[in-house]
Amino acid sequence: MSTPDDLHLPDTALQGLGTRPFGVYVHVPFCATRCGYCDFNTYTAGELGSGAAPEDWLDGLRRELDLAAQRLGTPPAADTVFVGGGTPSLLGPDGLAAVLDAVRQSFGLAADAEVTTESNPESTSPALFAGIRDAGYTRVSLGMQSVAPHVLRVLDRTHTPGRPVEAAAEARGAGFDHVNLDLIYGTPGERTEDLQASLDAVLEAGVDHVSAYALIVEDGTALARRVRKGEIPMPDDDVLAADYELLDAMLEKAGLRWYEVSNWAASDEARCRHNLGYWLGGDWWGAGPGAHSHVGGVRWWNVKHPARYTATLTEGALPVGGQETLTPEDRHLERVMLELRLAEGLPLDALDDGGAREARRAAADGLLSTRDLDGGRAVLTDRGRLLADAVVRRLVT
């Protein structure tokens, strides 16, 4: 385990910096309440007490970004910025503007930079959207999860069922062309008609991007404790598969096409460029408590607690909690695992001989497209998307 500020970036990692996509991720660790399924590095005001105010976090963020730019030498301007969490919208328009100003001052922004913030619908308003649009944000991602009240209760979500659609309309009214809604499917007690109603609401909102994730019961969460006690069942794999097929069919019919297993977009321009940078092996600096970074095959992560994060930066050190240098085998596995999830798939020549043989067997099993394989790419079929992790294991074994 590394100690704070012993980040080592060899020249080999810095070579090519700027020739690959370069993004900045900012982690906002604050939430009004804790959702039962969430295992992200987030804290409510009661959990933090007076030891880590948002103002202290913002000061720390500015220090980290300045140190990051120094550590990278001559850093490229950020192609993308993604402010996530947590609940970034709790910062309000002035706080979010200050975050983007800090990135702009330390790194600069590319002329066509994509700048996204996540938002909880309940902490948004027309004034917030207008303010962050003026500040330079180009994209908004809203947590919706479901419109069914009983599903939201299982997830411990606090927003009212209709608020995400209203928030999406407000964002579009403020001038945002690119708005995403997040869904979670497979929650115990969710019926087919509940998912259909959620999808109908998504389509009514007129957004150009949808992310939909199967519910995962993470260890240490309130949801996991309820499952362990037998209060609610584990998500059912067959139900998850049927739900995925339903949402894919409805989104496809409405003109939103999958470009990554869990993401659909109305056009190439609507795709999330920041996430594509992750999936295509780009570089990014992750700033904030617990944020992860990657540059040229070196990965590191920050200390988790906001108080320790800010204290370390006050001392003039980067708040590095640990790091690793990816081996060629690691990088190969990650490339296959991530690129195979994309609609364009993976170049066949990225696989070794054994992997290429397995790709042909997977195509014979209906998991990879035979036509695309003949054209030199491994592309998941509809059935293959349901079994993507298993296909990856076959191609790298």
Side-chain angles (χ1 to χ4, degrees):
M1 176 62 68
S2 303
T3 57
D5 204 19
D6 65 351
L7 174 64
H8 177 59
L9 283 177
D11 290 341
T12 52
L14 295 174
Q15 288 171 0
L17 184 65
T19 63
R20 301 177 292 268
F22 180 76
V24 175
Y25 172 76
V26 175
H27 185 72
V28 181
F30 309 112
C31 280
T33 61
R34 180 175 298 281
C35 298
Y37 63 91
C38 179
D39 71 336
F40 295 162
N41 187 44
T42 61
Y43 304 83
T44 64
E47 291 168 334
L48 284 174
S50 59
E55 295 80 8
D56 298 327
W57 166 83
L58 184 55
D59 286 342
L61 177 71
R62 292 189 181 102
R63 293 172 187 268
E64 182 182 1
L65 292 172
D66 284 345
L67 289 171
Q70 294 171 26
R71 188 59 60 94
L72 293 180
T74 305
D79 299 308
T80 63
V81 178
F82 196 106
V83 183
T87 309
S89 47
L90 288 176
L91 299 176
D94 292 343
L96 284 169
V99 168
L100 186 54
D101 282 343
V103 175
R104 188 182 285 115
Q105 290 168 16
S106 295
F107 288 98
L109 297 178
D112 63 342
E114 173 195 88
V115 183
T116 303
T117 183
E118 293 180 334
S119 300
N120 185 314
E122 293 294 343
S123 55
T124 61
S125 66
L128 180 136
F129 292 125
I132 64 174
R133 188 72 186 93
D134 289 343
Y137 285 80
T138 66
R139 189 172 179 275
V140 172
S141 181
L142 294 160
M144 178 178 181
Q145 321 323 342
S146 176
V147 297
H150 65 280
V151 173
L152 295 175
R153 283 195 296 272
V154 171
L155 296 174
D156 290 327
R157 293 290 294 183
T158 58
H159 65 257
T160 53
R163 178 58 197 155
V165 172
E166 293 174 358
E170 291 168 0
R172 293 175 61 213
F176 283 95
D177 294 325
H178 302 308
V179 180
N180 171 66
L181 283 172
D182 277 344
L183 288 174
I184 289 178
Y185 61 93
T187 301
E190 182 180 55
R191 303 162 301 184
T192 299
E193 53 265 38
D194 297 325
L195 179 58
Q196 287 176 322
S198 296
L199 289 163
D200 287 339
V202 165
L203 299 178
E204 175 193 342
V207 297
D208 67 344
H209 192 285
V210 175
S211 299
Y213 303 101
L215 179 66
I216 297 175
V217 179
E218 301 284 4
D219 290 341
T221 62
L223 182 65
R225 290 191 290 273
R226 294 185 65 189
V227 170
R228 189 169 60 250
K229 292 177 181 177
E231 295 176 8
I232 55 176
M234 281 287 287
D236 182 272
D237 288 342
D238 291 337
V239 172
L240 292 176
D243 285 349
Y244 184 88
E245 291 174 333
L246 171 64
L247 66 89
D248 182 55
M250 289 185 66
L251 293 173
E252 174 79 22
K253 185 177 180 180
L256 288 103
R257 293 177 174 80
W258 79 283
Y259 70 99
E260 192 274 342
V261 168
S262 298
N263 291 271
W264 290 256
S267 65
D268 288 348
E269 293 74 23
R271 297 181 175 194
C272 180
R273 286 166 47 200
H274 186 83
N275 287 342
L276 282 167
Y278 295 154
W279 298 325
L280 292 171
D283 297 321
W284 69 91
W285 191 287
H292 285 232
S293 303
H294 170 265
V295 172
V298 177
R299 180 187 291 127
W300 66 97
W301 48 93
N302 286 346
V303 297
K304 286 189 171 184
H305 198 279
R308 186 181 174 202
Y309 169 80
T310 55
T312 303
L313 285 157
T314 300
E315 295 169 359
L318 283 169
V320 178
Q323 75 175 78
E324 61 181 342
T325 298
L326 302 178
T327 66
E329 293 76 17
D330 293 333
R331 299 183 78 170
H332 173 69
L333 171 61
E334 291 199 357
R335 184 181 182 189
V336 175
M337 180 174 63
L338 296 174
E339 288 190 35
L340 190 66
R341 293 177 62 89
L342 299 174
E344 289 78 13
L346 175 77
L348 196 58
D349 60 14
L351 300 173
D352 58 23
D353 290 344
R357 287 193 296 273
E358 280 300 322
R360 287 188 283 274
R361 293 190 183 102
D365 293 339
L367 302 174
L368 293 177
S369 162
T370 301
R371 182 186 64 185
D372 288 304
L373 204 64
D374 290 342
R377 300 191 72 84
V379 176
L380 293 169
T381 61
D382 290 348
R383 179 168 176 263
R385 276 190 278 163
L386 296 173
L387 300 168
D389 291 345
V391 178
V392 168
R393 288 193 295 270
R394 290 178 63 166
L395 299 188
V396 298
T397 301

